Amino acid sequence: MLTNALFEVDFLDRMLTGADATARAEVAFMRDMLRDGLDEVRNFITDLRPPVMDVGLAAAIAERAAFLERHGIAVRAEVTGVDERLTPEARASVLRIVQEALQNVRKHAAASEVLIGLEGDQLVIADNGRGFDVMRLASGASRNFGLQFMRERAELMGGQLQIESRQGEGTRILVRLPRADDAS
């Protein structure tokens, strides 16, 4: 349906040759909204399928990084050794956390760069975007299900999630990783 709507908008755009700038701008805005919606639906479908864990968490993170790069955001993923540290269940949770974090960067951060790396027993996802007021988020004044989802995933696997951000200074998401041998 979204693809057909895009075709209709393109047809309408061709019919508007010589129309005023306001009408053409509205058609361009509709086209962008439909393309974003189509991208989002495709991402939901991708996220619903089982994660690509048979190739390992590091490779699955690299795949998600490539997705973000297609949106013009440079991503450096330095997660060598992450697979050996985690149980298969924890790997799936970490991948879902990374997916949500990268979606947030794409949608909200206006970032040009993201780093995904390991610092001690933590996975760090850091961007150079616009940041946000963490205290406002903690107060409940803003409902952000994505960040709540990430926190719950971290806790379910025996880890913790911490968010560091200030407006104008980017965001760092720190996920304390449980060790595979902690599960025994």
Side-chain angles (χ1 to χ4, degrees):
M1 191 173 358
L2 289 172
T3 303
N4 285 337
L6 270 169
F7 288 139
E8 289 297 320
V9 167
D10 286 339
F11 176 72
L12 180 60
D13 191 30
R14 287 191 300 277
M15 289 178 49
L16 287 175
T17 53
D20 73 346
T22 304
R24 295 195 61 104
E26 284 299 313
V27 169
F29 178 73
M30 284 177 27
R31 180 184 301 114
D32 290 343
M33 277 189 354
L34 287 167
R35 284 187 179 142
D36 287 347
L38 188 57
D39 279 349
E40 205 158 307
V41 167
R42 287 179 175 147
N43 291 333
F44 286 142
I45 291 168
T46 299
D47 289 347
L48 285 174
R49 68 184 165 89
V52 191
M53 298 309 284
D54 52 326
V55 296
L57 178 58
I61 289 173
E63 177 189 329
R64 298 311 295 171
F67 159 77
L68 205 58
E69 288 175 339
R70 288 193 297 272
H71 288 276
I73 302 170
V75 181
R76 195 169 78 228
E78 299 173 356
V79 293
T80 304
V82 72
D83 288 284
E84 295 77 22
R85 301 177 63 139
L86 301 170
T87 65
E89 296 79 18
R91 285 183 218 136
S93 290
V94 169
L95 179 60
R96 296 298 188 200
I97 291 168
V98 169
Q99 287 173 323
E100 182 63 33
L102 294 181
Q103 282 287 22
N104 286 343
V105 169
R106 184 182 71 83
K107 288 181 184 178
H108 308 294
S112 62
E113 297 177 339
V114 176
L115 169 66
I116 306 168
L118 293 171
E119 291 180 8
D121 67 344
Q122 297 186 106
L123 177 77
V124 178
I125 306 159
D127 70 61
N128 67 346
R130 66 175 132 223
F132 61 94
D133 183 349
V134 177
M135 294 309 291
R136 180 172 181 255
L137 188 74
S139 73
S142 171
R143 295 182 74 171
N144 188 310
F145 295 111
L147 294 176
Q148 179 181 339
F149 162 81
M150 290 169 29
R151 187 174 312 282
E152 289 170 359
R153 283 278 185 171
E155 290 170 0
L156 283 172
M157 72 175 176
Q160 292 177 321
L161 184 110
Q162 180 181 343
I163 301 167
E164 299 173 351
S165 187
R166 285 198 178 115
Q167 291 183 335
E169 295 183 21
T171 300
R172 281 174 42 101
I173 296 178
L174 304 118
V175 183
R176 189 185 58 75
L177 302 173
R179 297 198 62 85
D181 51 10
D182 290 346
S184 46

